[in-house]
Amino acid sequence: MAKIELNNVTKTYGAHQVIKGIDLEIRKGEFMVFVGPSGCGKSTLLRLISGLEEISTGDLLFDGTRVNGLVPSKRGIAMVFQSYALYPHMKVYDNMAFGLELAKSSKDEISRRVREAARLLQIDHLLDRLPKELSGGQRQRVAIGRAIVRDPKVFLFDEPLSNLDAALRVQTRLEIANLHHAMKDVTMIYVTHDQVEAMTLADRIAVLRDGRLEQVGTPAELYERPNSLFVAGFIGSPKMNFLTGAFAAAENCITLGIRPEHVTVTDPAAARWSGEVVHAEDLGSDNYLFVQIGADTPVIVRQPGKLTIPLGSRIGLSPDPAHIHRFDADGTPVR
Amino acid sequence: MAKIELNNVTKTYGAHQVIKGIDLEIRKGEFMVFVGPSGCGKSTLLRLISGLEEISTGDLLFDGTRVNGLVPSKRGIAMVFQSYALYPHMKVYDNMAFGLELAKSSKDEISRRVREAARLLQIDHLLDRLPKELSGGQRQRVAIGRAIVRDPKVFLFDEPLSNLDAALRVQTRLEIANLHHAMKDVTMIYVTHDQVEAMTLADRIAVLRDGRLEQVGTPAELYERPNSLFVAGFIGSPKMNFLTGAFAAAENCITLGIRPEHVTVTDPAAARWSGEVVHAEDLGSDNYLFVQIGADTPVIVRQPGKLTIPLGSRIGLSPDPAHIHRFDADGTPVR
Amino acid sequence: PADELFYVSGAIGNAIANFKTLVQPWEQATGHTVTIVPMPASTSDQFAQYRLWLAAGTADIDLYQTDVIWAPQLADHFVDMAEPAKDLVPQHFPSIIESQTVGGKLVALPIFTDAPALYYRKDLLEKHGKPVPTTWEDLTETARAIQDAERAAGKADFWGFVWQGNAYEGLTCNALEWVKSFGGGQIVEPDGSISINNAQAAAALDLVKGWVGSISPAGVLAYQEEEARGVWQTGNAVFMRNWPYAYGLGNGTDSAVQGLFDVAPLPSGGGHEGSAATLGGWNIAVSKYSTKQDAAISLALYLAGPEAQKQRAISESNLPTIVALYDDAEIAAAQPIIPLWKDVFTQAVPRPSAPTKGKYNEVSARFWSAVHNTLSGNGTAAENLELLELELSDIKGSSW
Amino acid sequence: MTFLPLRSGEPSLLQQRQRAAFWFLAPMLAALICVAAWPLLRTIWFSFTDTTLSDLYGGQWIGFDNYLSMRTLSSGRTVWRGTLVDPAWWNAVWNTLRFALVSVTLETVLGLIVALVLNAEFRGRGLVRAAILIPWAIPTIVSAKIWAWMLNDQFGIINDMLLSLDLIDQKIAWTASADTAMYAVLIVDIWKTTPFMALLILAGLQMVPRDIYEAARIDGIHPVKVFFRVTLPLIRPTLMVAVIFRMLDSLRIFDLVYVLTPNSAATKTMSVISRENMVDFDKFAYGAAQSTLLFSIIAIFVLLYIWLGRVDLTGDSSR
Amino acid sequence: MPQPIKTVAFYALVAGIVLFSVFPFYYAIVTSFATGTALFEANYWPKAFDLSNYSAVLGGRNFGRSILNSLFIASTTVICALFLAVTASYALARVRFRGRGLLLMTILAVSMFPQIAVLAGLFEVIRFLGIFNTPWAMILSYTIFTLPFTVWVLTTFMRDLPVEIEEAAIVDGATPWIIITRVFLPLLWPALVTTGLLAFIGAWNEFLFALTFTSSETTRTVPVAIGLLSGASQQEIPWGPIMAASVIVTVPLVILVLIFQRKIVAGLTAGGVKG
Ligand SMILES: Nc1ncnc2c1ncn2[C@@H]1O[C@H](COP(=O)(O)OP(=O)(O)OP(=O)(O)O)[C@@H](O)[C@H]1O
Ligand SMILES: Nc1ncnc2c1ncn2[C@@H]1O[C@H](COP(=O)(O)OP(=O)(O)OP(=O)(O)O)[C@@H](O)[C@H]1O
Ligand SMILES: [Mg+2]
Ligand SMILES: [Mg+2]
């Protein structure tokens, strides 16, 4: 169960409107990811859905029933907090088992589920520690563990993986994906700032900007057909290159966007643009070349494999015409 | 100034040895990144260098002088804490200004530096807020800001960007890199779990594993010539593929490693390995194909561009022979 | 040289305010000045305080106003007044002087005195045709009869007799009156012998025990003066045993018994002739540690003398200790109750503080405990008195 | 206390902090030694002498006689003397312990309830907080007298209320009867000191991190369970300290009994009897011995409590 | 339970608590307006607003002076106690050294003697220091009961503050003194206000020391001044004036509570650290 609808929801802190009217439908069993710049209201929105904050105006519906006033525990949700919110006086085991005890699960059942989750998150050797004896990543895993043992109808995750190392992150991400696949009915709402997480986990992504919804769609939609300059710039890492002025005018638009992976390095003579390599970043698997072609900022080009082009050399750049994004003065795409 | 040497440093919590003898020299002006799995002791090591924890045994030298007992404030350091550690009762401005005030800087000077840092981190509109009125990412930026206004000889960063969104992350990363370039003498020690940060920022990376140093070297060294199976698996995202059994035996080793970007998709007939595509992840810029070729886990292959291969199809995989890593039974590379 | 004296005294009524006027003639005559250090009215607070100051040999205070029972206990710290006051002493009630004399040493000079009386409702006695009782047995009868009649008439909270039954010094006073007026002695006789364990004393207590819950509320065992007055002054009792202060207050305009009562000496009982009224009152003593003893002695003599006592009687209704003042016309005019009390005084009995010396408080505590136990039903009077005798001889040891 | 030995050169962080700690503790210790050490030691010394208040400096050392001494009479009978065989003392000990146990228990429970109420957000909370503190703010002497008046059997308002509510059919002599005297003292003490408990606990409640309550709300944990499993453990240190100080106070209870039921054997406590001996009965040394015993009894109770309640004195296990 | 019933039950509880706490005080107020025989009647409402008791108290000798004395003594006591206790509790709560438990017990032991038992010795000390009959006698002697209490309470609260915040301050170059004053104090408001209020009231209401260590009317404190109220005779208890005086001395405390209780707020440490 659990289709979630938000109708013109707003939230105001004091004089400060943080959520500025959001309409969104999250389908039953969907994996919805919220992304957006820091401070745009992702956590707040999550807290509104959880019932921890009261909605200032607008309606929140779970399966068609208005739940604005319903207490969190009656909404059938589990939540991972950005600040972890672990019980400081309880051992890791008890932190995870606490919510289950209520549900009158048997001791064995509780122990089984806690240990399973702990194994999954590689914290089984920490079950006897207090939160303050844990590293940052370990605390975060305890917080995740606490949510997943409870097996609810709606999962709310607020940046659950931000303190984990790459390997663990991939692994936990896969576990969350598996969880989602295994429990088809469970709706998941997930806040992240990690592109990979967003792209790989989401059924749909909602991009927030300053308390408003900017675009909602599948990862591919957002990536390929961003609805605005903002979304284009926000989705994808490294960021899409934006060119204005003459570069854009040549394509009949105000801003021209091209992703780093859609630019190929060619011979300066044959290329549409050319410039000097001013900076390079070597990620091992890829290289990012920063090429100054006369625009405001260098164009970033992704170059697979080893860096072969020395800094300072002049190179030519050819954008892939199929992947050029064109935007109006007001940031809307020209199609 | 500030060359930092650690000689056989250990740290024990109760009966529990967390840092198990580390020898490391961090050069003056160097950008050193600590990576390692969650709980391996990165934060602890950073805290030992800062002087917040006492070293159990071993020596810590700053510029050749033993500083084991020196108080943190005399070490000329600034630190960003993994848990932010903001002063909850102080406005953002005061949080950032506190260290300067203690150092008796002039009011104007303080205001100038705080505002500059705030602008840099895009928190200038938040200077009047209390930490509890900030989003997670905003808090993190305040914590960073507090460190950088102080302009010390050694910067210690503990996962400073983990709660930031992609755009801000890239930007702050660049700012930190710039800071590093601008202040050639400032030594920076940076803990992260983000591959990109580690690879792009570091002069050298130190890989920790369970309280021990696994390998220290430049990003390229670690990426290309990992000293152990562990490092090979840890550096790079997605992770290097490891194959054992017959696959490895063919290369005269116990474990064969090949990174996802060094495998190309070919016709099954002509390929060295072949298998079924069991899962795919579309990141927009790339695709990760998970191909089951009969090993314990699927082989991950990075495919630039749009996904063109449907799930379930059989494909051939050709590893780039130049990039095959071979390891012994004990995890050491065979060269 | 002009000395500045410090005189410590419990703050009662306007005494402190009037003190300036009171000592003015003396100040003018001698050129000395005196500053009063007021103390809380609670006598036990005062006593503790004075003890500590005196034990520490404080020179800050020159004169102490002392309760009638303290003299023997603090005797060591005070100057002997026998010689300086040899002219003044004969004018006082001898019993009061005696109470302040310890081993031949006159510890303090009396400045005013106090004694309880029986308050009765004229109107009710008249209404029910009863005389003022002169024996405790009569009182019991009369109280019961009137109480029953009044309750039947609808005053459910009406009681026969209220007194002070709380376990405190006041109970020692009450009980001493019963015992003494029953011919049971005065606990410890002036020669130091312990006399309390006798049949008359037991008979007295047995009679009183019969009052509790019948003619006196059960709560009387927690009453001090004010509680008793409360019941009385709201018109809810026929008889009350109390000190003179209740007279003026009972005649206040808002009092339910205004003009309806009178006082008489306390009754006697057990066939014994002669009633008893426990002697209260205050005295002035000069500290041995005072550096201005001459001036202090002079002040003490003045305050204990007729002039000051008369003024006190007039302005504060304090009962004089000088016999002649009871016949003083000015006093009688200003404070009509003072002559009323003259009768009471002829029956006054001192508490055994002089013979028991420093152990008086303990003796008194044992006594009131024994009485309180008896009245609240813990053991019979005879048992408790026998036990008390044992305890007292323990305390006494070889001598007081 | 021992600080780690200082090594040569610059002091380390720990050493610097220990040095600071020393200077922070020094003034407090100096103040305490100044006001407390001499009086305490002096009283203990007095308890081994035959000092009286009339002659503070002339006491002779008599060893343990004030506590216990044995004398053989000429008849051959041995008698024991001293506080330790004084039935009045043991009666007082028993009264005090009973009183302390009941009052501290009830005050803790009531204090918790009141603190929880005050911790909730509602309009007029400030006023209610001030109102709650009124009983504590009235001087004990005065409040004891107010209650004595209210508990008066004849014109007391309590009996009046109970009568008009038909809860009793006869006026109760609260403070007079040995059966109810202890209740009377308890009622007043609870009324008076519950605010102390409540306020301290309230401060403890306010220091509990808020976000974990959110986690508990999400988990749907019943408020009662949250209270016992989350709130209570987190305020335990505060509660323990509050209880220790209440225990200390209730074991030394004096004013209230002194004013309300000064000489009733049913309520006479250790402090009252010790004062009685020191001041009223001129057995200063004997009273000092009783004070010293009282001190030891309190010390034993506090130690027991700290041990049984596993009060974390050093805080090492919580950091 | 449905929400409205819960709300009603809650407010009923609040009302019950307030009633129980305030009724005796209310009764004191009622009594303070009564005189004469009216005192001996159980009245639920004031019969008349007769202010004569108040004028008797306030017009009496030095009552105002006593209030000022008490204010001075209680505030100074609290300030000194808080100052000593805050620094000491920092040392006890946050610095590791051996013997902390023992030290805490020793501090506690100071409060274990009955007041009367230390009176004689303390009197000697006071006279030795030459502060008899000055406010300092009270201020000094009150540390006997305020200091152990404040030290203990503040120590427990100080322990609960997040370590990370202190560490951040250390890195920022803060000395322990700065950490206490600039970082911890603001976070300890609930504890400070609470202990401060409790200690203030304790000092404000203390009777025995105040009585013993003063010997002139101008140095006396409020409880002694109330003790000095008396009827026209030894036996009469001046109920009306005592009640009026109690009301007068309780009101400043209530105002004090109203002012300071705002500082007893939750969530002071919120937002500082995560975990
Ligand atoms: N106070 C403590 N008491 C006991 N163990 C501790 C304490 N602090 C940390 N540890 C343990 O020491 C190990 C190293 O912790 P540390 O915080 O250095 O890890 P980390 O590498 O920073 O991990 P992360 O990436 O998750 O932050 C962890 O296993 C942790 O549980
Ligand atoms: N209690 C509060 N009072 C006032 N403003 C607040 C409060 N909590 C949050 N805000 C503001 O609301 C905005 C949205 O906050 P929110 O925590 O939802 O951001 P977010 O999208 O989760 O950011 P991040 O990615 O950094 O966690 C921010 O600008 C924040 O400063
Ligand atoms: Mg957030
Ligand atoms: Mg860490």
Side-chain angles (χ1 to χ4, degrees), chain D residues 11-248:
Chain D
S12 75
L13 182 59
L14 185 63
Q15 288 160 350
Q16 198 190 49
R17 287 162 63 79
Q18 288 181 343
R19 221 178 260 180
F22 175 79
W23 287 112
F24 285 161
L25 286 169
M28 177 209 56
L29 288 176
L32 282 184
I33 286 172
C34 176
V35 289
W38 172 256
L40 293 185
L41 293 177
R42 192 131 167 85
T43 302
I44 294 174
W45 182 79
F46 280 142
S47 75
F48 295 107
T49 66
D50 60 0
T51 309
T52 65
L53 252 191
S54 320
D55 188 11
L56 256 190
Y57 302 96
Q60 297 294 310
W61 182 267
I62 56 165
F64 281 90
D65 284 6
N66 283 321
Y67 296 91
L68 190 64
S69 68
M70 190 186 76
R71 238 182 296 163
T72 310
L73 300 185
S74 49
S75 64
R77 203 164 67 98
T78 49
V79 288
W80 295 92
R81 288 295 165 109
T83 305
L84 288 174
V85 290
D86 184 348
W89 167 250
W90 288 112
N91 174 51
V93 172
W94 173 233
N95 280 341
T96 314
L97 296 187
R98 222 163 26 136
F99 169 82
L101 186 76
V102 177
S103 69
V104 174
T105 311
L106 288 177
E107 280 158 24
T108 309
V109 173
L110 292 177
L112 260 172
I113 293 173
V114 173
L116 287 172
V117 167
L118 288 186
N119 196 36
E121 302 269 353
F122 60 90
R123 286 186 54 191
R125 181 164 72 154
L127 278 173
V128 175
R129 276 186 191 162
I132 296 286
L133 259 184
I134 286 179
W136 179 256
I138 301 177
T140 313
I141 315 255
V142 173
S143 57
K145 284 183 178 167
I146 297 178
W147 275 92
W149 216 235
M150 296 196 349
L151 289 169
N152 183 287
D153 61 332
Q154 291 307 308
F155 39 82
I157 200 157
I158 304 276
N159 275 344
D160 195 75
M161 271 192 251
L162 295 177
L163 271 178
S164 51
L165 293 175
D166 269 335
L167 289 174
I168 53 172
D169 48 10
Q170 204 182 337
K171 290 187 167 177
I172 298 178
W174 288 99
T175 51
S177 137
D179 304 329
T180 51
M182 188 53 111
Y183 293 123
V185 175
L186 278 170
I187 289 173
V188 183
D189 189 66
I190 289 167
W191 171 78
K192 181 150 185 60
T193 41
T194 300
F196 169 90
M197 276 291 194
L199 200 64
L200 265 185
I201 295 171
L202 177 64
L205 285 175
Q206 302 280 307
M207 302 280 288
V208 173
R210 298 281 112 167
D211 59 352
I212 61 172
Y213 285 124
E214 297 192 335
R217 269 169 76 199
I218 292 279
D219 280 354
I221 295 163
H222 192 274
V224 172
K225 185 163 175 182
V226 172
F227 172 73
F228 281 106
R229 295 287 305 280
V230 179
T231 311
L232 207 52
L234 285 173
I235 60 168
R236 207 182 81 120
T238 320
L239 199 59
M240 288 288 179
V241 170
V243 168
I244 286 181
F245 278 88
R246 268 314 298 149
M247 199 159 85
L248 230 65

Side-chain angles (χ1 to χ4, degrees), chain C residues 11-13 16-17 36-43 45 49 52-53 56-58 60-61 114 225-226 229-230 233-234 243 245 249 254-256 282, chain E residues 35-38 40-41 61 119-120 123 127 132 207-208 211-217 220 224 227-239:
Chain C
I12 304 295
I16 308 286
I36 194 156
V37 178
M39 291 295 284
S42 152
T43 49
D45 286 340
Q49 185 71 35
L52 188 66
W53 280 350
T58 315
D60 298 330
I61 306 291
D114 213 358
E225 283 80 359
E226 284 293 84
R229 182 171 73 89
Q233 200 168 307
T234 45
W243 305 86
Y245 86 100
L249 292 168
D254 59 352
S255 164
W282 292 84
Chain E
T35 51
T37 311
F40 298 110
E41 289 156 6
R61 287 161 289 110
L119 197 61
F123 186 60
R127 278 164 42 98
F132 179 72
F207 177 75
L208 187 59
L211 174 64
T212 309
F213 301 146
T214 55
S215 67
S216 67
E217 272 194 287
R220 293 226 155 123
V224 181
L228 283 172
L229 295 172
S230 71
S233 71
Q234 183 64 44
Q235 292 85 5
E236 184 188 354
I237 299 172
W239 276 104

Side-chain angles (χ1 to χ4, degrees), chain A residues 27-246:
Chain A
R27 300 180 201 122
K28 175 172 155 175
E30 185 173 32
F31 201 119
M32 171 64 84
V33 172
F34 290 167
V35 297
S38 171
C40 68
K42 303 182 292 293
S43 301
T44 306
L45 195 55
L46 212 60
R47 290 166 59 80
L48 292 176
I49 295 173
S50 74
L52 286 173
E53 297 283 356
E54 236 175 318
I55 292 172
S56 300
T57 67
D59 294 319
L60 173 67
L61 291 81
F62 274 41
D63 284 331
T65 327
R66 189 169 179 278
V67 294
N68 283 38
L70 202 65
V71 296
S73 56
K74 297 257 169 76
R75 298 187 185 193
I77 52 173
M79 182 161 173
V80 178
F81 291 80
Q82 195 169 359
S83 65
Y84 313 154
L86 300 178
Y87 305 113
H89 59 295
M90 290 188 195
K91 301 258 166 84
V92 168
Y93 181 94
D94 300 308
N95 256 290
M96 292 169 66
F98 192 49
L100 286 181
E101 283 172 39
L102 163 93
K104 301 259 178 306
S105 313
S106 75
K107 269 231 151 60
D108 290 349
E109 168 75 4
I110 293 175
S111 164
R112 196 183 55 68
R113 273 159 73 178
V114 169
R115 279 170 211 289
E116 201 174 290
R119 203 158 32 242
L120 196 79
L121 296 161
Q122 300 177 16
I123 46 174
D124 32 1
H125 59 296
L126 302 173
L127 289 176
D128 271 345
R129 297 239 195 123
L130 288 172
K132 62 173 163 259
E133 297 166 349
L134 300 180
S135 77
Q138 290 165 338
R139 284 181 207 179
Q140 192 159 41
R141 279 177 278 162
V142 176
I144 301 172
R146 187 171 62 178
I148 61 180
V149 290
R150 289 198 52 234
D151 190 22
K153 303 206 197 75
V154 181
F155 268 120
L156 306 175
F157 292 103
D158 199 350
E159 313 210 0
L161 309 182
S162 61
N163 275 322
L164 304 190
D165 62 85
L168 200 59
R169 195 167 180 136
V170 170
Q171 186 183 338
T172 317
R173 194 177 82 207
L174 290 178
E175 285 301 340
I176 291 176
N178 284 344
L179 211 69
H180 176 53
H181 288 302
M183 306 186 266
K184 275 282 165 230
D185 280 354
V186 177
T187 310
M188 298 202 170
I189 308 179
Y190 191 102
V191 172
T192 185
H193 53 256
D194 185 293
Q195 298 289 326
V196 178
E197 273 170 40
M199 298 299 281
T200 57
L201 285 174
D203 290 331
R204 286 195 299 157
I205 297 178
V207 183
L208 277 96
R209 179 192 187 181
D210 197 17
R212 291 210 173 74
L213 263 191
E214 191 77 11
Q215 186 173 0
V216 185
T218 63
E221 266 169 35
L222 295 189
Y223 193 80
E224 281 153 29
R225 294 150 54 82
N227 247 339
S228 68
L229 200 60
F230 176 80
V231 175
F234 194 79
I235 299 285
S237 175
K239 218 177 140 201
M240 185 185 278
N241 295 296
F242 291 121
L243 299 169
T244 50

Side-chain angles (χ1 to χ4, degrees), chain C residues 16-45:
Chain C
I16 308 286
N18 294 344
F19 188 73
K20 267 268 150 277
T21 359
L22 182 66
V23 293
Q24 208 171 12
W26 175 80
E27 286 184 339
Q28 271 163 7
T30 60
H32 303 308
T33 54
V34 52
T35 305
I36 194 156
V37 178
M39 291 295 284
S42 152
T43 49
S44 49
D45 286 340

